[in-house]
Amino acid sequence: MHNGHVPEPRETRRRPGRRPTINDVAAAAGVSRGTVSRVLNGGHDVSDAAQEAVERAMRKTGYVVNQHARSLVTQRSQSVAFILSEPQERLFEDPNFNVLLHSCTQALAKQDITLLLTLASSLEDRKRLGRYLTGGHVDGALLVSTHSGNPLIPELLARGLPVVACGKPLGYERQAAYVAADDRDGARQMVSYLLSSGRRRIATITGPLDTSGGVERLAGYREALGGQPELVAHGDYTRASGEAAMLQLLERAPDLDAIFVASDLMAAGAMTALHRAGRRVPVDVAVGGFDDSQIATTTQPLLTTVRQSYPRIGAEMVRLLLSQIDGESPAAVIIPTELVIRESA
Amino acid sequence: MHNGHVPEPRETRRRPGRRPTINDVAAAAGVSRGTVSRVLNGGHDVSDAAQEAVERAMRKTGYVVNQHARSLVTQRSQSVAFILSEPQERLFEDPNFNVLLHSCTQALAKQDITLLLTLASSLEDRKRLGRYLTGGHVDGALLVSTHSGNPLIPELLARGLPVVACGKPLGYERQAAYVAADDRDGARQMVSYLLSSGRRRIATITGPLDTSGGVERLAGYREALGGQPELVAHGDYTRASGEAAMLQLLERAPDLDAIFVASDLMAAGAMTALHRAGRRVPVDVAVGGFDDSQIATTTQPLLTTVRQSYPRIGAEMVRLLLSQIDGESPAAVIIPTELVIRESA
DNA sequence: CTGAAAGCGCTTACAG
DNA sequence: CTGAAAGCGCTTACAG
């Protein structure tokens, strides 16, 4: 069919195996394509009779709009990407992602925008993803857990794709929009609290230092310590790394009486290590976490931690992204953090 | 710009804020759009000189193909959806999803196809997703963890979208392609092994009975028991449900000496319950799992289980999906399962 | 309120 | 090997 170059008369019957188009609907309803398109786009300036005829015709033909054709003219895809630049394992281990993903999905759903979760663990992945994203498939991107040096950020920025990062995107704070918790202040609050409750030898387990969360929480720890000798070990936000770092700290400083851990998940790991080493929490060692994730209420004893509201962070990220898609310039939002005292400190 | 209806002379300079198109590249290279398109699509029938000129022009203009325009003519989007119809929590708890997702991503990457992970926990989500998927955004869908009664399956099938399910899609075994492990035989092997090692009072914790895995593993248990009295409790593949079911079974049958659990994660939960109840594994109670996931090698003692190879399942799913996209009819693949004996039984 | 027409940015036979 | 042209399925001023 259609392989000659003599124009055929416009065909109105539906060919088998072909999706119905707006032409089929128009023919069935006895109106023009323009009118069909108008009812598709809100039904303004359409008479009741026409509206009804078109709706009937759509049902009859089983019409579904072709998004590519629509996107080609509107330059909008009505979808945004949620990009996780992280080894997959973390996605599955860390409940924070879960909460963030959920709140972003919800916020976008209200605008009838689909969220596409894309994983970019390997360099290869990131390349393919770069092509995909800049090809117009999505209207914007939410970047989660981006370590400094992630090549996706400059690429997307250069292409002019609206982007919002979760946490300060190190090296691009000026150019990319972001939403971050007040990490530094949260850490400061926690360590001040530990000091005020009489602890004297306070260690910390940091997050990865190529993320703003890692850097800022460490800075808050130092700030609160105000020049007192510090005791630092590094983790990568996984439970296992928290356990290993705790073991190492106990070796280096058997007299430590408190620990501020830069995430709840690592804090859970640290508590396991403390338990194995025969230290009681909080009697021998006070433990403070960060996140106030679900984990904080399942540890034994319950975890004293710093709350950062991921639902709120997600909602703000979406708001910032949509406003950029509408032409506003990038902005940064800092969400306050709050000390939550439970049993571990 | 371009708001009059008098045709302007074709503009070749790049307007600020506009993405370069194939016309810009053609003009810069001094060739026709057809030639640019040919180098974009593999460079067949293009002279070296033209090829080079076009490549230079693409770099100079920063050209990126508009996927919507391309898809509109090719009727292909070069992406497929990975649909998880499951409360999000499970995604994050169950390592099997992780492995499956990874293997599917890899297999698709080889064909330069992007995988889009979409979550459909609520009914609302499924509606929006249905619209998205049938709008031509993806070339096919991988359905994971679909309980019977999931309305997405008939919808996608009716639209003619190529679909492959993981596990038998109950109610649509005939119409939808799927890849499943030989659940029944795996369960049978495990229970036979428990019997042969002298266990006499063997219970089971099932998966959800609206999934084929749940149904078939229970059937295998019954088959191996061959009419001996059975002892059944139900779980939903979460760790917590395994723990609860085990507690309940101990109450109902304090004399049980073995348990076959329909997933490793639930088996880990069951072992926790046994431990709390003071039963030694495997001395007092033998425990057999299903999956051979990462969990099986982290429990204490190590878990005897049934291996189903998720990497292989993922690869087969992709193969089946791509062949359907190329016009083949749906097929079903059953992957053999294998007993893996460790310490717990 | 409605139709005719231009245009979104590509691909792909076709003719040369 | 290459260009001209048709066509993919929509939306959106414009004129009436």
Side-chain angles (χ1 to χ4, degrees), chain A residues 110-126:
Chain A
K110 282 182 198 145
Q111 317 285 329
D112 208 42
I113 294 178
T114 302
L115 181 146
L116 268 19
L117 174 53
T118 51
L119 307 176
S121 9
S122 72
L123 190 63
E124 186 102 357
D125 287 353
R126 275 195 270 270

PDB file of all heavy atoms in Angstrom, chain A residues 110-126:
ATOM      1  N   LYS A 110       0.050  14.933  39.477  1.00  0.00           N
ATOM      2  CA  LYS A 110      -0.961  15.987  39.542  1.00  0.00           C
ATOM      3  C   LYS A 110      -0.990  16.815  38.266  1.00  0.00           C
ATOM      4  O   LYS A 110      -2.014  17.402  37.924  1.00  0.00           O
ATOM      5  CB  LYS A 110      -0.673  16.895  40.741  1.00  0.00           C
ATOM      6  CG  LYS A 110      -1.112  16.285  42.049  1.00  0.00           C
ATOM      7  CD  LYS A 110      -0.855  17.249  43.213  1.00  0.00           C
ATOM      8  CE  LYS A 110      -0.865  16.492  44.530  1.00  0.00           C
ATOM      9  NZ  LYS A 110       0.094  17.048  45.493  1.00  0.00           N
ATOM     10  N   GLN A 111       0.136  16.896  37.600  1.00  0.00           N
ATOM     11  CA  GLN A 111       0.187  17.649  36.342  1.00  0.00           C
ATOM     12  C   GLN A 111       0.069  16.704  35.150  1.00  0.00           C
ATOM     13  O   GLN A 111       0.354  17.091  34.014  1.00  0.00           O
ATOM     14  CB  GLN A 111       1.513  18.405  36.231  1.00  0.00           C
ATOM     15  CG  GLN A 111       1.965  19.077  37.495  1.00  0.00           C
ATOM     16  CD  GLN A 111       1.158  20.323  37.769  1.00  0.00           C
ATOM     17  OE1 GLN A 111       0.710  20.979  36.838  1.00  0.00           O
ATOM     18  NE2 GLN A 111       0.949  20.635  39.031  1.00  0.00           N
ATOM     19  N   ASP A 112      -0.250  15.444  35.450  1.00  0.00           N
ATOM     20  CA  ASP A 112      -0.367  14.440  34.406  1.00  0.00           C
ATOM     21  C   ASP A 112       0.940  14.243  33.634  1.00  0.00           C
ATOM     22  O   ASP A 112       0.954  14.068  32.418  1.00  0.00           O
ATOM     23  CB  ASP A 112      -1.488  14.805  33.432  1.00  0.00           C
ATOM     24  CG  ASP A 112      -2.079  13.564  32.799  1.00  0.00           C
ATOM     25  OD1 ASP A 112      -2.285  12.582  33.522  1.00  0.00           O
ATOM     26  OD2 ASP A 112      -2.292  13.557  31.577  1.00  0.00           O
ATOM     27  N   ILE A 113       2.015  14.279  34.374  1.00  0.00           N
ATOM     28  CA  ILE A 113       3.321  14.048  33.757  1.00  0.00           C
ATOM     29  C   ILE A 113       3.862  12.714  34.255  1.00  0.00           C
ATOM     30  O   ILE A 113       3.782  12.406  35.445  1.00  0.00           O
ATOM     31  CB  ILE A 113       4.288  15.190  34.132  1.00  0.00           C
ATOM     32  CG1 ILE A 113       3.780  16.491  33.507  1.00  0.00           C
ATOM     33  CG2 ILE A 113       5.703  14.887  33.679  1.00  0.00           C
ATOM     34  CD1 ILE A 113       4.615  17.687  33.838  1.00  0.00           C
ATOM     35  N   THR A 114       4.363  11.921  33.330  1.00  0.00           N
ATOM     36  CA  THR A 114       4.882  10.614  33.694  1.00  0.00           C
ATOM     37  C   THR A 114       6.334  10.712  34.130  1.00  0.00           C
ATOM     38  O   THR A 114       7.119  11.416  33.517  1.00  0.00           O
ATOM     39  CB  THR A 114       4.786   9.657  32.489  1.00  0.00           C
ATOM     40  OG1 THR A 114       3.436   9.581  32.069  1.00  0.00           O
ATOM     41  CG2 THR A 114       5.277   8.266  32.863  1.00  0.00           C
ATOM     42  N   LEU A 115       6.642   9.997  35.196  1.00  0.00           N
ATOM     43  CA  LEU A 115       8.029   9.958  35.647  1.00  0.00           C
ATOM     44  C   LEU A 115       8.706   8.707  35.109  1.00  0.00           C
ATOM     45  O   LEU A 115       8.188   7.597  35.261  1.00  0.00           O
ATOM     46  CB  LEU A 115       8.081   9.977  37.172  1.00  0.00           C
ATOM     47  CG  LEU A 115       9.477   9.957  37.788  1.00  0.00           C
ATOM     48  CD1 LEU A 115       9.491  10.777  39.057  1.00  0.00           C
ATOM     49  CD2 LEU A 115       9.904   8.544  38.091  1.00  0.00           C
ATOM     50  N   LEU A 116       9.851   8.896  34.485  1.00  0.00           N
ATOM     51  CA  LEU A 116      10.621   7.774  33.968  1.00  0.00           C
ATOM     52  C   LEU A 116      11.860   7.600  34.821  1.00  0.00           C
ATOM     53  O   LEU A 116      12.704   8.496  34.889  1.00  0.00           O
ATOM     54  CB  LEU A 116      11.052   8.078  32.537  1.00  0.00           C
ATOM     55  CG  LEU A 116      10.167   7.619  31.397  1.00  0.00           C
ATOM     56  CD1 LEU A 116       8.765   7.330  31.828  1.00  0.00           C
ATOM     57  CD2 LEU A 116      10.204   8.620  30.275  1.00  0.00           C
ATOM     58  N   LEU A 117      11.958   6.454  35.456  1.00  0.00           N
ATOM     59  CA  LEU A 117      13.117   6.194  36.298  1.00  0.00           C
ATOM     60  C   LEU A 117      14.211   5.587  35.446  1.00  0.00           C
ATOM     61  O   LEU A 117      14.015   4.549  34.827  1.00  0.00           O
ATOM     62  CB  LEU A 117      12.711   5.231  37.412  1.00  0.00           C
ATOM     63  CG  LEU A 117      13.793   4.707  38.328  1.00  0.00           C
ATOM     64  CD1 LEU A 117      14.592   5.833  38.933  1.00  0.00           C
ATOM     65  CD2 LEU A 117      13.188   3.867  39.422  1.00  0.00           C
ATOM     66  N   THR A 118      15.349   6.242  35.389  1.00  0.00           N
ATOM     67  CA  THR A 118      16.432   5.690  34.581  1.00  0.00           C
ATOM     68  C   THR A 118      17.660   5.521  35.452  1.00  0.00           C
ATOM     69  O   THR A 118      17.994   6.383  36.250  1.00  0.00           O
ATOM     70  CB  THR A 118      16.774   6.613  33.405  1.00  0.00           C
ATOM     71  OG1 THR A 118      16.973   7.925  33.899  1.00  0.00           O
ATOM     72  CG2 THR A 118      15.651   6.645  32.403  1.00  0.00           C
ATOM     73  N   LEU A 119      18.321   4.397  35.280  1.00  0.00           N
ATOM     74  CA  LEU A 119      19.499   4.106  36.067  1.00  0.00           C
ATOM     75  C   LEU A 119      20.722   4.347  35.205  1.00  0.00           C
ATOM     76  O   LEU A 119      20.742   3.990  34.034  1.00  0.00           O
ATOM     77  CB  LEU A 119      19.477   2.646  36.504  1.00  0.00           C
ATOM     78  CG  LEU A 119      18.197   2.214  37.215  1.00  0.00           C
ATOM     79  CD1 LEU A 119      18.261   0.733  37.516  1.00  0.00           C
ATOM     80  CD2 LEU A 119      18.003   3.019  38.478  1.00  0.00           C
ATOM     81  N   ALA A 120      21.709   4.961  35.771  1.00  0.00           N
ATOM     82  CA  ALA A 120      22.936   5.194  35.021  1.00  0.00           C
ATOM     83  C   ALA A 120      24.109   4.825  35.886  1.00  0.00           C
ATOM     84  O   ALA A 120      24.745   5.685  36.481  1.00  0.00           O
ATOM     85  CB  ALA A 120      23.013   6.644  34.575  1.00  0.00           C
ATOM     86  N   SER A 121      24.375   3.545  35.989  1.00  0.00           N
ATOM     87  CA  SER A 121      25.474   3.124  36.859  1.00  0.00           C
ATOM     88  C   SER A 121      26.795   3.185  36.102  1.00  0.00           C
ATOM     89  O   SER A 121      27.769   3.715  36.593  1.00  0.00           O
ATOM     90  CB  SER A 121      25.239   1.713  37.401  1.00  0.00           C
ATOM     91  OG  SER A 121      24.150   1.087  36.789  1.00  0.00           O
ATOM     92  N   SER A 122      26.833   2.656  34.898  1.00  0.00           N
ATOM     93  CA  SER A 122      28.092   2.611  34.165  1.00  0.00           C
ATOM     94  C   SER A 122      28.241   3.819  33.260  1.00  0.00           C
ATOM     95  O   SER A 122      27.293   4.547  32.986  1.00  0.00           O
ATOM     96  CB  SER A 122      28.150   1.348  33.317  1.00  0.00           C
ATOM     97  OG  SER A 122      27.262   1.466  32.227  1.00  0.00           O
ATOM     98  N   LEU A 123      29.441   4.017  32.797  1.00  0.00           N
ATOM     99  CA  LEU A 123      29.739   5.130  31.906  1.00  0.00           C
ATOM    100  C   LEU A 123      28.959   4.952  30.606  1.00  0.00           C
ATOM    101  O   LEU A 123      28.402   5.901  30.042  1.00  0.00           O
ATOM    102  CB  LEU A 123      31.234   5.162  31.616  1.00  0.00           C
ATOM    103  CG  LEU A 123      31.720   6.412  30.883  1.00  0.00           C
ATOM    104  CD1 LEU A 123      31.488   7.642  31.753  1.00  0.00           C
ATOM    105  CD2 LEU A 123      33.182   6.285  30.529  1.00  0.00           C
ATOM    106  N   GLU A 124      28.930   3.729  30.169  1.00  0.00           N
ATOM    107  CA  GLU A 124      28.187   3.360  28.953  1.00  0.00           C
ATOM    108  C   GLU A 124      26.722   3.760  29.083  1.00  0.00           C
ATOM    109  O   GLU A 124      26.143   4.384  28.199  1.00  0.00           O
ATOM    110  CB  GLU A 124      28.281   1.836  28.764  1.00  0.00           C
ATOM    111  CG  GLU A 124      27.709   1.309  27.495  1.00  0.00           C
ATOM    112  CD  GLU A 124      28.810   1.002  26.507  1.00  0.00           C
ATOM    113  OE1 GLU A 124      29.985   1.268  26.829  1.00  0.00           O
ATOM    114  OE2 GLU A 124      28.498   0.505  25.424  1.00  0.00           O
ATOM    115  N   ASP A 125      26.142   3.400  30.221  1.00  0.00           N
ATOM    116  CA  ASP A 125      24.754   3.771  30.511  1.00  0.00           C
ATOM    117  C   ASP A 125      24.561   5.268  30.386  1.00  0.00           C
ATOM    118  O   ASP A 125      23.597   5.738  29.795  1.00  0.00           O
ATOM    119  CB  ASP A 125      24.375   3.376  31.948  1.00  0.00           C
ATOM    120  CG  ASP A 125      24.188   1.884  32.101  1.00  0.00           C
ATOM    121  OD1 ASP A 125      24.220   1.178  31.074  1.00  0.00           O
ATOM    122  OD2 ASP A 125      24.024   1.444  33.242  1.00  0.00           O
ATOM    123  N   ARG A 126      25.494   6.002  30.963  1.00  0.00           N
ATOM    124  CA  ARG A 126      25.339   7.447  30.981  1.00  0.00           C
ATOM    125  C   ARG A 126      25.391   8.025  29.574  1.00  0.00           C
ATOM    126  O   ARG A 126      24.729   9.007  29.274  1.00  0.00           O
ATOM    127  CB  ARG A 126      26.418   8.085  31.864  1.00  0.00           C
ATOM    128  CG  ARG A 126      26.011   8.108  33.326  1.00  0.00           C
ATOM    129  CD  ARG A 126      26.876   9.034  34.127  1.00  0.00           C
ATOM    130  NE  ARG A 126      28.031   8.324  34.644  1.00  0.00           N
ATOM    131  CZ  ARG A 126      28.061   7.705  35.817  1.00  0.00           C
ATOM    132  NH1 ARG A 126      27.003   7.703  36.583  1.00  0.00           N
ATOM    133  NH2 ARG A 126      29.135   7.090  36.215  1.00  0.00           N
TER     134      ARG A 126
END
